[in-house]
Amino acid sequence: MDITQLFGLQGKVALITGGSRGIGAMFVEGFLAAGCERIYISARKGPQIAAAVDKFGDRVIGIPGDVSTVEGCKALAAEIAKREDKLDILINNAGAAWGAPFEEFPESGWDKVMDVNVKGPFFLTQALYPLLKAAGTADRPAKVVNVGSIDGLRLNPWDTWSYHASKSSILYLTKRMAARLIKDNIIVTAIAPGAFESDMNRAARDHGDEVAKGIPARRIGTPEDMAAAAIYLCSRAGDYVIGETLTVDGGLVHAALGTSIDA
């Protein structure tokens, strides 16, 4: 077996939403190292995109976009279609969160999070379907990876009501999308990250040592951990993994012991 080919992304074209920072930037860095030919990144804020492109170099192309609306998804897909006749990899990574007590949680916080975290991945994949279908073959299928969260698999202690709902939804939606799109040689999977430094996970970013005490691996995740998961799913190595959610959290969901009360 040729490990370089098994885990390589040579010649591939990818789009990573929310790719200018945080976990999205970890994916970009890993895909570049794996040989990806071109990586498109999108985000709502132009300066963030420009900074990321300056950092990563000319194989990374930035396109401003808002995936919280169907119109925004179609516009982003149209921009990709102007530049490419096929798309090998789509990483639906853009995300939003909102926290407020149950009694006060606003409709705006519900809609914003659900629109970005659930509606966006579905309708962007739909808009890019022709390019993904053009890329996929039985021997080398195209790949769609939805980025969820361990908060879709377990409860956290915070009042992030719509975030919980959205991340649970996207993991199940991944299965349904996978069942449909495999017919067109497009494989859909998901990643459920745990504690990684990002603006969305300020606890891991600002209090990593304390957060690590509650993780079986006794550390928070690194960029290499996150990049490796995506490379596995998007390379030849992951071609027989369909509809699955890869939990990347140091064992918090599946290897942490619960508590009990003695009678």
Side-chain angles (χ1 to χ4, degrees):
M1 295 185 185
D2 185 337
I3 297 299
T4 301
Q5 293 297 316
L6 191 60
F7 290 94
L9 298 176
Q10 293 82 0
K12 299 299 183 182
V13 176
L15 167 62
I16 301 174
T17 67
S20 62
R21 59 180 180 170
I23 285 176
M26 297 177 195
F27 293 141
V28 173
E29 187 175 1
F31 279 20
L32 288 172
C36 204
E37 184 173 331
R38 281 185 303 284
I39 303 170
Y40 293 90
I41 62 172
S42 72
R44 288 175 298 152
K45 298 179 181 179
Q48 289 181 355
I49 294 178
V53 170
D54 287 343
K55 174 184 176 181
F56 288 119
D58 58 9
R59 280 194 286 158
V60 176
I61 303 110
I63 302 176
D66 181 0
V67 297
S68 68
T69 68
V70 175
E71 293 76 14
C73 291
K74 290 181 177 179
L76 178 56
E79 289 298 322
I80 300 295
K82 290 178 183 177
R83 298 164 170 83
E84 305 289 342
D85 58 8
K86 64 183 182 66
L87 182 67
D88 301 290
I89 299 167
L90 169 61
I91 308 292
N92 286 310
N93 170 71
W98 195 293
F102 175 78
E103 300 89 341
E104 304 169 8
F105 200 89
E107 183 180 13
S108 59
W110 186 272
D111 291 347
K112 176 182 177 180
V113 171
M114 296 298 286
D115 285 351
V116 175
N117 295 359
V118 184
K119 187 169 77 174
F122 179 84
F123 283 103
L124 183 58
T125 305
Q126 182 190 71
L128 288 166
Y129 169 69
L131 295 182
L132 291 163
K133 186 176 180 180
T137 67
D139 292 334
R140 291 309 309 270
K143 302 293 180 72
V144 176
V145 178
N146 296 322
V147 179
S149 169
I150 60 170
D151 289 351
L153 299 168
R154 61 181 286 278
L155 297 176
N156 72 41
W158 302 298
D159 289 325
T160 52
W161 305 96
S162 54
Y163 188 79
H164 262 307
S166 71
K167 291 306 183 180
S168 179
S169 296
I170 192 60
L171 299 185
Y172 208 86
L173 182 60
T174 293
K175 295 175 179 290
R176 188 61 185 92
M177 292 170 68
R180 167 59 184 86
L181 294 180
I182 190 59
K183 301 174 184 178
D184 296 304
N185 300 314
I186 302 168
I187 290 177
V188 185
T189 55
I191 293 175
F196 285 81
E197 290 186 17
S198 70
D199 289 345
M200 287 194 60
N201 193 333
R202 296 177 185 177
R205 183 192 67 187
D206 300 336
H207 308 285
D209 291 343
E210 188 65 27
V211 171
K213 294 177 182 178
I215 299 173
R218 299 184 301 281
R219 65 176 177 85
I220 64 171
T222 67
E224 289 82 0
D225 295 321
M226 187 49 55
I231 291 168
Y232 163 61
L233 291 175
C234 293
S235 66
R236 168 62 185 88
D239 281 1
Y240 208 54
V241 179
I242 302 169
E244 185 60 79
T245 294
L246 181 58
T247 307
V248 188
D249 70 341
L252 191 56
V253 170
H254 297 298
L257 297 176
T259 58
S260 63
I261 299 174
D262 292 334

